[in-house]
């Protein structure tokens, strides 16, 4: 069973940094693309970033490009999201998901019946 567990969320002031972690198990980590998505209250879920673990290719949503960095550690089977220069509008529940697909400039999570979502971790950025 594919399982993804997020950690690292919390409360931070605007301009600050956080690093989220996504620990994966139950599937061949080095064979998938894994991504981060977020959902703020009253808003649709938004693709934040994806990484192709096999070749390291990355993709970012327009709202975070240049501020967030995704990376993976094959030995730890963990994907990280380093978030710098955080803004109040980055406040959301952040989810890890696999597989992650890039279609043009859109980041997509797993479709129904295949893949997995984590339980989410809250990130709150105060003014």
């Amino acid at each position: 069973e594919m399982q993804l567990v997020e950690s690292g969320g919390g409360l931070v002031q605007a301009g600050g940094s956080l690093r989220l972690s996504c620990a994966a198990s139950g599937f061949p980590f080095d064979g998938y693309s894994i991504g981060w998505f977020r959902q703020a209250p009253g808003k649709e879920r938004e693709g934040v970033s994806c990484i192709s673990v096999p070749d390291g290719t990355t993709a970012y949503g327009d709202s975070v490009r240049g501020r967030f960095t995704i990376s993976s550690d094959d030995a730890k089977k963990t994907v990280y999201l380093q978030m710098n220069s955080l803004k109040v509008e980055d406040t959301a529940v952040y989810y890890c998901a696999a597989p992650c697909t890039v279609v043009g400039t859109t980041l997509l999570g797993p479709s129904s019946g295949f893949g997995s979502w984590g339980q989410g971790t809250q990130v709150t950025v105060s003014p």
Side-chain angles (χ1 to χ4, degrees):
E1 178 186 1
M2 296 179 73
Q3 191 169 16
L4 301 166
V5 179
E6 305 96 334
S7 61
L11 173 65
V12 64
Q13 284 191 320
S17 299
L18 278 176
R19 189 177 79 157
L20 305 183
S21 299
C22 171
S25 61
F27 65 99
F29 180 79
D30 58 0
Y32 281 81
S33 291
I34 299 176
W36 288 96
F37 298 79
R38 68 185 183 185
Q39 189 164 21
K43 295 188 176 181
E44 292 188 356
R45 188 162 55 199
E46 173 188 14
V48 175
S49 184
C50 291
I51 184 167
S52 170
V53 177
D55 63 15
T57 303
T58 59
Y60 296 92
D62 290 342
S63 61
V64 306
R65 188 175 294 111
R67 299 187 296 123
F68 291 10
T69 303
I70 192 170
S71 62
S72 66
D73 185 326
D74 287 4
K76 295 183 178 180
K77 297 186 179 181
T78 300
V79 171
Y80 302 99
L81 185 69
Q82 178 66 44
M83 306 186 294
N84 298 330
S85 303
L86 282 161
K87 304 176 181 179
V88 171
E89 51 264 43
D90 293 319
T91 296
V93 178
Y94 284 69
Y95 299 91
C96 182
C100 183
T101 305
V102 181
V103 179
T105 59
T106 302
L107 309 182
L108 300 174
S111 58
S112 59
F114 178 72
S116 182
W117 292 87
Q119 82 287 352
T121 186
Q122 176 71 46
V123 171
T124 303
V125 184
S126 62

